[in-house]
Amino acid sequence: MSAVLEARAAPASVRRRIRPTLASGAMILAASLVLAIVPGWFAPYDPLVFDYGALLQPPSLAHPFGTDNFGRDMLSRVIWAYRIDMQIALFGTLFPILFGCLVGAAVGYYGAWPDVLFGRVVDALITFPFLVLVIAIVAVLGPGLINMYIAVGVVGWVFYARLLRAEIRIQKQQEYAAAGKVMGYSDARIILRHLLPNAITPVLVFWMTDMALVILLGSSLGYLGLGAQPPAAEWGVLIADGKNFMTTGWWISIFPGLAIVVTGLGFSLLGDGIADLLRPQP
Amino acid sequence: MPSPSYILTRLLQIIPTFLFIMVVVFVLVRLLPGDPASAILGERATDEAVARINAQLGLDQPVPVQFAIFLERFLEGDLGTSIHLKIPVVQLIEERLPVTLMLTAYAALLALLLALPLAFAAALRRDRGADMVIRGAFQVGLSTPVFYIGLVLLTIFAANLRWFPVGGFGETLTDQLYHLFLPALTLALSLSAVLMRNLRASIIEVLGAEYVDFARAKGLRPRIVMARHVLRNALISTVTLFGLSMGTLIGGAVITETVFAIPGAGRLMIDSIYGRDYPVVQGLTLALAILVSLAFLITDLVQAALDPRIGR
């Protein structure tokens, strides 16, 4: 409520820019982050404890999301899963964004043969069906989250590098870049202090989308049994747990899936909102 | 039509891509834990037997030579034999891949039928109620995992309403189309979200283009302007998107086949991973990657045929 009042009190130029997409995305993600950091404050039960007196209970006041076939409280399991899935979003994109930006900035700035080589690598990597390659790598390294991060990292950096390369090439042509060169600044200083702040917006917007995509990927692998391993509560694993009870206990799979959808929406709304906010006003 | 030189260049470009795919798959197999000889012979193999198998597989040779052997075998159509099923991998791929291809083609068709009218409706009513609803729907579509869509459709339309079978693959073509309808719809819902988002943007762009204004100013009927100018250009971006989505579509097919128990290449891949049947995993990775790069090639050629600015 106070956020709404503040937005109303803001000057007209700012008020015009704060869109409902940005506000709702930010709110969803803030809530998700809180749940991920302190799930214990919100989860009514221990997510791993069996309760043989309450097996396969439909949603009720005591168990808003019902219980699974071991009597575990689904609301608590979905809440604890925030910790793992938000972690997947962060760690699954950390190496790609860092390494991708490094490569993208370098090939965009220097051009010449590294740029040509980069073009070839990109062409080849994007022909690989991403999920198939990730599954193949996880199959070789073994199931688990760490191996999933490695698999995602092998391919994921390309998208960031491609984006930043294009932006850096545009910014390099600007006069302020030439001015930096005339001042005798080092390449690293020009790239980091001058070009990067002007070129990073599309990368940050894509980062939001990518975190949503990585959550989808992570839960898919979890569902297939190749990602997070049971009994850990991860949304994909929870959905897989419930798939044999869809007719007798639909709530086991349905609620974790809704958590994925809402979190994914949060990321894409925030991404769109940031893009709107940073787009030059006419 | 694209010029012969464009077609030739594009065909030649696929050679380095294929080589790269081969290298990646080769490296993947190298990373495997344990050596292939003991995988074939079992734990209690004698040293001589292991050495004999290694020589037979060329594993006593330097790595570049091994890669050459791998390439040579591939060109001869030899991808090894499944450890569990004892069937040549090539034969397995020939049996299973058509199912996956049929599923993806079916899904692509459904996605197009869904996305094209909705994208037009959204673009023509830009920023009004219908547009907001359609955009909201594809935002949700983009955030929903394929396996979840599949599971929900399966529960509602197969398990509860019993309109469709819960899985498997029929014998006759009609039967197969019936069995594959829910899985194809699953994939299509997920793909059409991506298609719609981009199509809407490109239709809006075309609607604002000068040549559309000009066509209208000439007094062409709105229907003709739509069909000849707007639709044609929208189709070009659809073709491009289809090509770019092939990888996602194949990945989605792997998951959908698992959810619906369809005996396609994707399910075979997951089963082989559980069973540590590495020759099959390797062969399928190779086959699917080659499939996607061929789809890219076809996309480029079709795009060049539709858009006279490309492919001179």
Side-chain angles (χ1 to χ4, degrees), chain A residues 124 127 131 135 224 246 254 272, chain B residues 20 139 148 155 251 273-274 292:
Chain A
T127 38
L131 186 75
I135 288 180
L224 293 172
M246 279 303 271
I254 290 299
D272 286 355
Chain B
F20 179 81
Q139 280 284 16
Y148 187 61
T155 308
I273 289 174
Y274 293 147
V292 172

Side-chain angles (χ1 to χ4, degrees), chain A residues 121-171:
Chain A
V121 171
V122 168
D123 282 350
L125 272 182
I126 59 169
T127 38
F128 253 100
F130 185 56
L131 186 75
V132 172
L133 186 58
V134 169
I135 288 180
I137 295 175
V138 172
V140 167
L141 299 177
L145 284 182
I146 305 282
N147 291 340
M148 188 192 96
Y149 297 145
I150 295 174
V152 174
V154 170
V155 195
W157 63 273
V158 174
F159 305 103
Y160 292 97
R162 206 162 49 149
L163 268 175
L164 192 64
R165 170 190 170 274
E167 281 301 313
I168 291 276
R169 280 171 65 97
I170 295 169
Q171 296 301 329

Side-chain angles (χ1 to χ4, degrees), chain A residues 120-121 123-133 135-143 213 216 219-221 223-226 235-236 239-240 242-243 246-247 250 253-258 260-265 268-269 272, chain B residues 13 16-17 20-22 24-25 28-29 31-33 136 139-148 151-152 155 159-160 197 244 246-248 250-252 254-255 258-259 269-270 273-274 276 278 281 284-285 288-289 292-293 296:
Chain A
R120 293 278 110 218
V121 171
D123 282 350
L125 272 182
I126 59 169
T127 38
F128 253 100
F130 185 56
L131 186 75
V132 172
L133 186 58
I135 288 180
I137 295 175
V138 172
V140 167
L141 299 177
L213 289 176
L216 291 191
S219 62
S220 301
L221 289 180
Y223 177 83
L224 293 172
L226 301 172
W235 294 324
I239 295 172
K243 71 176 179 218
M246 279 303 271
T247 45
W250 52 268
S253 293
I254 290 299
F255 290 112
L258 291 180
I260 299 177
V261 177
V262 171
T263 312
L265 269 178
S268 47
L269 288 174
D272 286 355
Chain B
Q13 272 173 358
T17 309
F20 179 81
I21 292 172
M22 302 294 295
V24 170
V25 172
L28 267 181
V29 177
L31 288 173
L32 284 177
Q139 280 284 16
V140 173
L142 283 177
S143 313
T144 314
V146 173
F147 65 92
Y148 187 61
L151 214 53
V152 171
T155 308
N160 284 327
R197 186 187 192 132
L244 290 176
M246 256 317 265
T248 323
I250 293 283
V254 172
I255 294 174
T258 314
V259 173
M269 177 140 181
I270 300 295
I273 289 174
Y274 293 147
R276 307 198 151 263
Y278 293 119
V281 176
L284 282 173
T285 311
L288 293 177
V292 172
S293 59
F296 274 34

Side-chain angles (χ1 to χ4, degrees), chain A residues 64-86:
Chain A
F65 287 5
T67 62
D68 68 4
N69 52 319
F70 294 108
R72 291 176 293 197
D73 178 57
M74 285 314 295
L75 176 62
S76 305
R77 286 177 73 67
V78 168
I79 289 176
W80 275 90
Y82 270 95
R83 177 166 276 185
I84 297 184
D85 283 88
M86 294 300 277

Side-chain angles (χ1 to χ4, degrees), chain B residues 215-231:
Chain B
R216 284 193 186 128
K218 274 195 305 191
L220 285 182
R221 271 176 292 147
R223 185 181 302 213
I224 306 271
V225 177
M226 272 306 188
R228 277 206 207 134
H229 297 272
V230 180
L231 188 64

